Amino acid sequence: MKKAIGILLLLVVLAAGGYLGFKLLFPSEEKEAEQPAQEEVVTEVPPEEKTWKDSVVEMAAGAKKAAVEFYNVLITDKKRVPAENGGKEKTGKKEKPVDKKQSEAAARQEKETQAEDLIKQGNQSLLRKNYAEAGESFKNAAELAQSNEKKYRALRGRAMASKMFGQGEAECAFGKAMLEFASNDGEKANAYEAMGNGYENLQGYFDAVNAYQKASELYKAAGNIEMAWTTQVSCSKVMRRGLNDYVGASQSIGRAWEIVDKSTMEEGAKRDIKWMLCLEYADNCRLAGDRYGQLNWNREAVKYNPDWKQNAMMIERELKTQGVI
């Protein structure tokens, strides 16, 4: 707007300047105009005989005309903003149209950021054992999440909070939902493990065994040896305590042993795990009524952890007192 006004003033100045310049050069013409009118003799002047005075007059008149026309166009071009925008005036400058796709993308990104913050809050609440607060954070995160990755993490958090509350049905439901957004074997394994925990809590032992077995296979495929053998142990416990299937439980412990034995973990870690697996075997024998098997596996455990010797000897004395051996 300022630029347009500046151009207008410049044209007016040029017009006025031309006119004043002409008056200064030819002051007598005005006086001549005041004399009584005499008979005017019209003489046609060929275009090529126009004097430089005529050129100055024409230039001044043209500049004045251009200035007036520019001003009229400027006034005509001014537009008023609709009433909903406050009635403020605006010049002919058009507003840049809003890109709908860009606006929607920005809104999605904002929700995704909020979901990430809520997931972090939920994890912190789990560490503080504030499971109700954690569940609420994960619930809100799941509703805001836009990507499969965020949806999966929010659902996993809800499954973990449900496990802490002993809500088996909810944990199963969240585990199944996790499968829809899982992107690799490790994430699928987490989903099946959550389902196994949920079914076990609901005393759906057959479903729990199947879920734990599937989780162990997927953990192994993902290279997570720790969780692969751990879920086999979980499976064995469900078999012997929930189904009284001691043979199946022993086989599950054997699979855990094989996973550890064939892994590349350091020998010290392998010994510690095998000691715990010996105790799983011993517990399975005890529940099955195999007291000799219970004693033998406690003795075997001492090979991997010498500090267990006192416990093994105490169990042996108890069995002798009971007349079992």
Side-chain angles (χ1 to χ4, degrees), residues 144-192:
L144 287 169
Q146 301 296 300
S147 66
N148 286 351
E149 184 262 343
K150 293 287 190 303
K151 290 176 182 177
Y152 172 86
R153 289 170 58 199
L155 287 167
R156 186 184 182 191
R158 296 197 73 181
M160 293 174 68
S162 299
K163 178 182 179 181
M164 296 300 103
F165 279 122
Q167 298 171 339
E169 187 173 355
E171 190 175 6
C172 285
F174 294 135
K176 290 177 182 178
M178 287 163 63
L179 283 176
E180 297 182 23
F181 303 106
S183 61
N184 54 55
D185 287 337
E187 291 182 353
K188 291 176 183 177
N190 287 334
Y192 277 107

Side-chain angles (χ1 to χ4, degrees), residues 225 256-265 267 270 274:
I225 301 303
W257 189 290
E258 184 180 5
I259 290 170
V260 173
D261 199 39
K262 291 183 177 180
S263 71
T264 58
M265 65 177 63
E267 290 302 316
K270 284 185 179 182
K274 286 180 178 179

Side-chain angles (χ1 to χ4, degrees), residues 13 24 31 34 43 55 60 73 121 145 180 207 225 230-231 236 244 271 308:
V13 169
L24 290 172
K31 293 180 179 181
E34 296 174 357
T43 305
S55 299
V73 170
Q121 292 176 21
E180 297 182 23
D207 289 329
I225 301 303
T230 299
T231 45
S236 74
N244 298 326
R271 284 196 305 270
W308 189 252

Side-chain angles (χ1 to χ4, degrees), residues 6-233:
I7 294 172
L8 172 63
L9 291 175
L10 177 61
L11 291 173
V12 173
V13 169
L14 286 173
Y19 180 78
L20 290 174
F22 176 79
K23 286 296 183 179
L24 290 172
L25 289 172
F26 307 101
S28 61
E29 287 197 1
E30 188 175 7
K31 293 180 179 181
E32 290 175 358
E34 296 174 357
Q35 297 296 326
Q38 298 181 357
E39 184 177 351
E40 183 178 4
V41 179
V42 178
T43 305
E44 184 176 351
V45 181
E48 62 272 11
E49 293 183 7
K50 285 184 180 181
T51 66
W52 65 275
K53 293 187 294 181
D54 297 324
S55 299
V56 171
V57 172
E58 289 179 0
M59 183 174 68
K64 182 177 180 182
K65 181 180 179 181
V68 172
E69 289 177 350
F70 182 82
Y71 177 78
N72 290 335
V73 170
L74 187 65
I75 295 300
T76 304
D77 190 54
K78 292 177 70 176
K79 298 178 181 179
R80 293 191 177 276
V81 182
E84 59 266 25
N85 291 336
K88 296 181 180 179
E89 290 186 353
K90 69 175 183 179
T91 57
K93 186 176 180 180
K94 295 182 179 180
E95 294 290 336
K96 186 178 180 180
V98 177
D99 190 326
K100 185 177 180 180
K101 290 184 178 179
Q102 198 172 36
S103 178
E104 290 176 350
R108 286 195 300 269
Q109 183 57 47
E110 177 64 22
K111 289 182 178 179
E112 189 80 340
T113 300
Q114 292 175 4
E116 177 65 25
D117 292 340
L118 286 166
I119 290 171
K120 290 179 180 177
Q121 292 176 21
N123 289 331
Q124 291 171 358
S125 297
L126 283 178
L127 291 174
R128 294 195 301 267
K129 298 183 179 181
N130 191 338
Y131 304 126
E133 184 179 281
E136 186 66 20
S137 294
F138 289 127
K139 175 179 178 295
N140 294 332
E143 293 173 352
L144 287 169
Q146 301 296 300
S147 66
N148 286 351
E149 184 262 343
K150 293 287 190 303
K151 290 176 182 177
Y152 172 86
R153 289 170 58 199
L155 287 167
R156 186 184 182 191
R158 296 197 73 181
M160 293 174 68
S162 299
K163 178 182 179 181
M164 296 300 103
F165 279 122
Q167 298 171 339
E169 187 173 355
E171 190 175 6
C172 285
F174 294 135
K176 290 177 182 178
M178 287 163 63
L179 283 176
E180 297 182 23
F181 303 106
S183 61
N184 54 55
D185 287 337
E187 291 182 353
K188 291 176 183 177
N190 287 334
Y192 277 107
E193 184 188 5
M195 292 164 62
N197 288 331
Y199 285 129
E200 184 179 359
N201 182 273
L202 293 170
Q203 298 182 357
Y205 299 124
F206 285 106
D207 289 329
V209 166
N210 291 332
Y212 281 135
Q213 290 283 16
K214 187 65 176 178
S216 179
E217 293 170 6
L218 288 166
Y219 277 130
K220 185 178 178 181
N224 191 337
I225 301 303
E226 178 71 20
M227 292 306 301
W229 73 261
T230 299
T231 45
Q232 283 292 347
V233 170

